[in-house]
């Protein structure tokens, strides 16, 4: 799909005034954005989505159009982020200079940083949306790279709402990865690595509904408690109670050594025993 000035402004309307000159500067970075999308989607699916024609003024209808829309958004925002540092710079015989315009006052460093931060967050949100849409394509799920994005129950910025962040982005998730990884090791010891992998697989295949979806929410709640070094035993009890009340939905856990360990009963002392064991 040709990325026109109209498409660039559609995906980032509040950032730039519609001038052909500025759009041209941004367009020179579009290939960076397209290449990023290609690396995520793979050559075959990228070419398929790149060939989808849709009107940016209308809400995309089918899965292909919605995914192509997410891909174009990611490509455009990636290009804008890459272009931003050089948009007001020109090369002169005596070195680089800042573009001067009598009608515009130069922006402060603080405002530029806020703009850059906002653009980066938009880019992360676009990345998450693209991943979410790609889950609906079996040919993408079969690629070696696809599964690497879904090895945790916290796979997108929005999941950080469980940590109490009102408007989270993937940058918040990236900062919390070490704590989440540590907490998910605890979770694996409770429900088994196999059941944890099955839940991640359900997210990967976009099957977060019914009992699996409820279990994922309970697991995330437990992970947050562990990551924050809070008492997680009530969350653990609620999770195990739910899973054991719906055994058919969680066969990996029900047949695991972790299930046996959770229900292990130590030796019970008897009146006539020659010695007693204290626990």
């Amino acid at each position: 799909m040709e990325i026109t000035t109209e498409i660039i402004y559609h995906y980032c309307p509040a950032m730039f005034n519609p001038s052909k000159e500025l759009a041209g500067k941004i367009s020179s970075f579009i290939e960076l954005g397209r290449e990023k999308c290609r690396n995520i989607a793979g050559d075959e699916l990228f070419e398929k989505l790149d060939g989808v024609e849709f009107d940016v003024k209308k809400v995309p209808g089918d899965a292909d159009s919605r995914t192509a829309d997410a891909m174009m958004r990611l490509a455009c925002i990636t290009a804008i982020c890459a272009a931003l540092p050089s948009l007001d710079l020109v090369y002169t015989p005596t070195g680089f200079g800042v573009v001067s315009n009598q009608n515009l006052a130069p922006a402060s460093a603080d405002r530029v940083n806020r703009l850059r931060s906002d653009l980066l967050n938009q880019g992360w949100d676009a990345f998450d949306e693209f991943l979410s849409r790609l889950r609906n394509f079996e040919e993408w799920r079969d690629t070696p790279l696809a599964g690497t994005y879904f090895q945790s129950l916290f796979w997108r910025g929005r999941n950080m709402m469980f940590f109490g962040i009102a408007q989270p982005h993937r940058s918040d998730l990236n900062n919390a990865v070490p704590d989440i990884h540590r907490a998910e090791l605890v979770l694996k010891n409770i429900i088994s690595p196999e059941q944890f992998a099955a839940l991640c697989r359900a997210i990967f295949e976009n099957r977060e509904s019914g009992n699996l979806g409820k279990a994922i929410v309970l697991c995330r709640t437990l992970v947050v408690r562990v990551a924050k070094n809070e008492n997680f035993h009530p969350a653990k009890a609620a999770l195990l109670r739910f899973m054991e009340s719906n055994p058919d939905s969680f066969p990996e856990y029900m047949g695991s050594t972790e299930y046996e360990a959770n229900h292990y009963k130590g030796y019970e002392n008897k009146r006539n025993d020659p010695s007693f064991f204290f626990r």
Side-chain angles (χ1 to χ4, degrees):
M1 176 184 295
E2 180 184 1
I3 300 182
T4 63
T5 303
E6 180 185 21
I7 289 177
I8 292 173
Y9 293 131
H10 169 73
Y11 291 124
C12 211
M15 297 300 166
F16 301 101
N17 292 321
S19 72
K20 292 183 179 180
E21 180 182 1
L22 186 56
K25 290 182 179 180
I26 297 171
S27 296
S28 64
F29 289 86
I30 284 294
E31 195 55 37
L32 286 174
R34 288 169 56 83
E35 193 60 26
K36 179 176 182 177
C37 294
R38 181 187 292 274
N39 290 338
I40 298 170
D43 292 336
E44 183 177 349
L45 185 54
F46 175 84
E47 295 296 338
K48 174 183 177 179
L49 297 173
D50 197 42
V52 173
E53 294 293 339
F54 61 91
D55 187 346
V56 296
K57 296 180 180 179
K58 298 180 180 179
V59 177
D62 57 22
D64 285 3
S65 295
R66 289 192 293 270
T67 309
D69 175 71
M71 186 175 80
M72 290 299 103
R73 181 181 300 276
L74 177 58
C76 288
I77 295 177
T78 298
I80 292 171
C81 288
L84 186 62
S86 61
L87 289 180
D88 63 346
L89 295 179
V90 293
Y91 182 71
T92 70
T94 58
F96 286 96
V98 179
V99 175
S100 176
N101 189 325
Q102 294 180 354
N103 297 321
L104 295 174
S108 66
D110 183 58
R111 288 189 177 185
V112 173
N113 288 334
R114 286 204 303 270
L115 171 60
R116 183 177 288 110
S117 177
D118 186 56
L119 283 172
L120 289 173
N121 284 333
Q122 288 189 45
W124 281 126
D125 292 346
F127 176 80
D128 284 350
E129 181 64 19
F130 189 36
L131 283 186
S132 182
R133 296 293 182 186
L134 286 173
R135 293 183 296 169
N136 297 315
F137 294 85
E138 184 176 357
E139 62 266 41
W140 181 73
R141 297 199 305 268
D142 289 338
T143 62
L145 179 63
T148 63
Y149 294 111
F150 297 90
Q151 295 181 347
S152 168
L153 300 181
F154 291 77
W155 64 276
R156 65 186 302 173
R158 188 183 301 171
N159 297 147
M160 294 303 291
M161 293 180 69
F162 282 86
F163 280 84
I165 302 175
Q167 294 181 316
H169 303 284
R170 198 176 189 89
S171 52
D172 299 300
L173 174 59
N174 291 340
N175 292 333
V177 163
D179 289 334
I180 291 174
H181 177 70
R182 171 178 60 84
E184 287 187 333
L185 290 177
V186 175
L187 175 63
K188 291 177 185 179
N189 287 332
I190 294 172
I191 67 172
S192 80
E194 293 77 14
Q195 186 63 69
F196 178 84
L199 294 178
C200 288
R201 186 74 188 180
I203 296 173
F204 181 37
E205 296 176 350
N206 204 9
R207 294 186 288 109
E208 299 171 80
S209 59
N211 287 338
L212 290 177
K214 293 176 182 177
I216 289 170
V217 170
L218 291 170
C219 285
R220 286 173 177 158
T221 301
L222 187 151
V223 167
V224 170
R225 295 282 183 141
V226 176
K228 290 184 173 182
N229 296 315
E230 298 175 350
N231 178 17
F232 64 88
H233 293 288
K236 173 184 175 180
L239 171 61
L240 295 182
R241 185 165 55 249
F242 176 76
M243 295 178 71
E244 292 170 12
S245 297
N246 300 278
D248 293 341
S249 297
F250 309 103
E252 293 85 359
Y253 167 66
M254 298 303 297
S256 70
T257 56
E258 284 75 15
Y259 172 82
E260 295 178 1
N262 289 334
H263 294 273
Y264 173 76
K265 292 185 178 180
Y267 180 80
E268 297 292 338
N269 293 306
K270 299 180 178 60
R271 178 179 298 180
N272 297 327
D273 285 345
S275 59
F276 283 79
F277 295 92
F278 295 92
R279 296 192 300 273

